[in-house]
Amino acid sequence: MIKNIIKSSLFLFALMLGVSSCNNSDDRVFDKKAIEREREQQEELKNLLLSSDEGWKLVYITDKAEFGGFTFLMKFSDDNTVEMVSDFDDDGYVKQTSEYEIQLRATTSLVFSTENKIHALSDPFNSPTTNNKGYRGEFQFRYYGYTDNEIIFRGTRDVEKEIRFVKATKEDWNTFDQRKQFVEVMNDVEKPYFRLLEVTEGGNTALYDVTFSGTTRLMTSSETIEGEDTFGVAYTENGLLIEPGIQLGDGTVAENFTYNASADEFVFSSGSNQVTLKYATEPANWTDESYKQLLTAPSDISIFVPVDGNVGQAMMYSSLLSIRAREEVENLGVNNLGEIRFTFTNNNSNVIRYTYKGSQYNFNFKTADGGTHLIITPTGWTSNNVPQEIKDFNDLLFEGGKLYVRREKTRIGYTNEVWTYIAPLTNMSIPSWMF
């Protein structure tokens, strides 16, 4: 009996070894095939990257809800180096060479392994807001396939985001610098604050007020246009690309806009239909009546603080602060300007107070209802020895005697409402927390 048990046990042990051996053998075969498939896919991706003589173009919109597009040209070499330019900033137009790798990261991935232009979008120090996430960009892209003239990737953090490299041309490289002039046109601090999008279809014209942030490259309309109110902007060699495009009645989509220098506007045309983006000294359809509260409230206070200990640089680098206003604050010295405090009262003893280099300077003004905005009548400084730089800043804010007021949907750092004061003629817009 005991012998039979031992024999049975030995048989079962041998059987288990055999099964284990078979499983291990199958694993080795499977692993070998997986490795071969991975190696083939890595070779396929590298061959694709090298297949375009002029490299690849990427218009990178990292998050369409927050940012427009940044364009990159990339030329890959067999020695795992890549030459790159971008229109992220002025330095981007100078070619830079770095290294890239084809790695296995869940799937075959292109990794820009040493610093180049594309890292600017993931650098937290480039954050246009205070979230310290940069422009939400990535420098590792998971390979998912190709077409005749595209390589298709997906993001590593945003796994559903599709990213397409399109074959570049010699003309792309030769004309890349032309984008600079359109960046300057769209961010010219000497031009009016307001912009209009004029849509003409079938002989009828509709005007939409739009605002544009140069730091985020996002354009926002006060009303929906064919179901959209937020558009990403990317620069091209001839003007602008907006995404999503505006669907017109004839089936065309207004995406690529050409700059008309004589009229200082960007134009898309299709037959008799036309969409034009232009500057304006006044809005066409201003509907925000928040300014009326400032005419009647017992006391409304709102404060702009460029650098706040709890919120970091929230206000200073908010897209609500116009480039002109940001430049002026930087000229004063971010750490020199403690705050700009607006106090509105219904007895018309309104005050704007500047805290600058530890001292406070008060400027009084009266307000009246301008129908869509505040009419400003200065009554003068009530402080002595006001620095000239503060006087100059104040003149820019009140030039023309008009202030538009916009109650923002977003919050900055705190739960307080944010209101933005806009001087249309001087391109000054200053967000502030309401109290």
Side-chain angles (χ1 to χ4, degrees):
M1 178 69 176
I2 293 174
K3 289 181 179 179
N4 288 337
I5 292 173
I6 292 173
K7 286 180 181 179
S8 299
S9 298
L10 289 172
F11 174 76
L12 287 172
F13 180 68
L15 182 62
M16 289 172 66
L17 284 175
V19 170
S20 175
S21 175
C22 288
N23 286 339
N24 289 338
S25 176
D26 287 347
D27 286 344
R28 285 195 297 272
V29 171
F30 179 79
D31 287 344
K32 184 178 180 182
K33 288 180 180 178
I35 291 170
E36 286 176 354
R37 285 196 299 270
E38 178 58 34
R39 186 181 297 116
E40 287 172 0
Q41 198 169 44
Q42 288 178 334
E43 290 175 358
E44 176 181 285
L45 176 54
K46 184 159 186 179
N47 289 336
L48 282 169
L49 293 171
L50 300 175
S51 67
S52 175
D53 292 339
E54 299 299 331
W56 300 87
K57 179 167 70 173
L58 168 64
V59 180
Y60 196 6
I61 300 177
T62 61
D63 184 336
K64 65 181 182 180
E66 293 193 35
F67 305 111
F70 299 87
T71 303
F72 297 82
L73 292 181
M74 299 172 277
K75 190 178 292 186
F76 296 85
S77 298
D78 191 39
D79 64 356
N80 278 39
T81 60
V82 56
E83 189 177 64
M84 192 181 303
V85 295
S86 84
D87 66 357
F88 177 78
D89 56 20
D90 287 343
D91 293 336
Y93 294 91
V94 180
K95 290 179 183 178
Q96 182 177 349
T97 301
S98 64
E99 297 178 359
Y100 72 93
E101 296 177 8
I102 309 296
Q103 298 181 359
L104 176 60
R105 299 200 171 201
T107 185
T108 299
S109 299
L110 168 63
V111 180
F112 293 97
S113 51
T114 60
E115 186 178 359
N116 209 319
K117 311 297 184 183
I118 201 159
H119 291 83
L121 296 184
S122 58
D123 185 347
F125 292 104
N126 283 335
S127 295
T129 61
T130 57
N131 57 22
N132 295 322
K133 294 181 180 179
Y135 282 76
R136 302 185 186 275
E138 301 191 41
F139 53 88
Q140 304 174 105
F141 303 102
R142 300 183 302 147
Y143 173 54
Y144 267 80
Y146 64 95
T147 66
D148 287 343
N149 68 334
E150 293 180 322
I151 306 178
I152 303 167
F153 297 94
R154 288 185 185 172
T156 301
R157 291 196 300 268
D158 186 354
V159 296
E160 297 301 319
K161 181 174 181 59
E162 194 171 85
I163 300 155
R164 290 178 178 256
F165 287 20
V166 180
K167 277 188 178 180
T169 65
K170 186 173 291 186
E171 184 181 6
D172 287 329
W173 289 93
N174 292 340
T175 62
F176 195 78
D177 282 5
Q178 292 177 197
R179 286 166 169 75
K180 284 183 181 180
Q181 64 178 306
F182 307 125
V183 174
E184 292 171 0
V185 169
M186 288 292 285
N187 295 279
D188 190 339
V189 298
E190 300 298 331
K191 293 184 178 178
Y193 176 83
F194 291 109
R195 303 168 200 237
L196 298 178
L197 203 59
E198 183 180 271
V199 181
T200 300
E201 290 189 87
N204 298 315
T205 298
L207 295 174
Y208 300 91
D209 294 310
V210 296
T211 56
F212 175 73
S213 166
T215 53
T216 62
R217 297 189 181 180
L218 207 64
M219 184 170 68
T220 305
S221 172
S222 59
E223 305 172 68
T224 58
I225 307 172
E226 300 297 332
E228 303 285 349
D229 62 4
T230 303
F231 305 87
V233 172
Y235 298 103
T236 69
E237 65 275 13
N238 296 313
L240 304 175
L241 169 73
I242 70 168
E243 174 64 34
I246 299 170
Q247 186 75 44
L248 300 179
D250 62 0
T252 58
V253 179
E255 286 181 307
N256 284 289
F257 289 69
T258 301
Y259 182 58
N260 180 343
S262 61
D264 192 22
E265 57 191 26
F266 295 88
V267 182
F268 170 87
S269 295
S270 173
S272 61
N273 294 336
Q274 183 168 291
V275 182
T276 304
L277 176 64
K278 60 177 71 176
Y279 281 99
T281 56
E282 301 289 342
N285 304 295
W286 191 263
T287 57
D288 192 327
E289 295 187 341
S290 301
Y291 76 95
K292 291 185 177 181
Q293 178 178 319
L294 305 179
L295 295 168
T296 58
S299 182
D300 266 333
I301 297 174
S302 60
I303 303 174
F304 165 78
V305 182
V307 178
D308 182 272
N310 296 321
V311 187
Q313 297 177 325
M315 282 293 190
M316 185 62 190
Y317 293 100
S318 163
S319 61
L320 303 176
L321 184 69
S322 67
I323 291 178
R324 175 67 176 274
R326 182 175 296 117
E327 287 183 356
E328 296 297 333
V329 171
E330 287 174 343
N331 289 338
L332 292 173
V334 174
N335 294 315
N336 291 332
L337 184 64
E339 68 175 29
I340 301 175
R341 179 186 294 256
F342 298 84
T343 302
F344 294 89
T345 62
N346 59 9
N347 63 6
N348 239 332
S349 299
N350 308 302
V351 181
I352 182 169
R353 186 178 76 193
Y354 298 89
T355 302
Y356 180 64
K357 294 183 178 179
S359 298
Q360 294 180 344
Y361 305 98
N362 295 328
F363 180 83
N364 287 17
F365 58 96
K366 294 181 178 181
T367 55
D369 191 339
T372 55
H373 56 274
L374 293 173
I375 295 175
I376 305 295
T377 303
T379 56
W381 293 95
T382 59
S383 303
N384 297 321
N385 303 316
V386 181
Q388 186 60 48
E389 59 266 34
I390 292 295
K391 289 182 178 180
D392 293 342
F393 187 98
N394 193 71
D395 288 344
L396 286 173
L397 186 58
F398 290 123
E399 185 174 323
K402 293 180 180 179
L403 272 186
Y404 283 85
V405 181
R406 184 174 61 223
R407 180 178 293 183
E408 306 293 353
K409 298 176 183 178
T410 58
R411 299 290 184 268
I412 301 177
Y414 302 115
T415 57
N416 298 60
E417 281 194 347
V418 175
W419 288 30
T420 300
Y421 300 97
I422 301 164
L425 296 182
T426 55
N427 207 338
M428 293 280 283
S429 70
I430 298 179
S432 61
W433 288 298
M434 287 296 292
F435 291 89

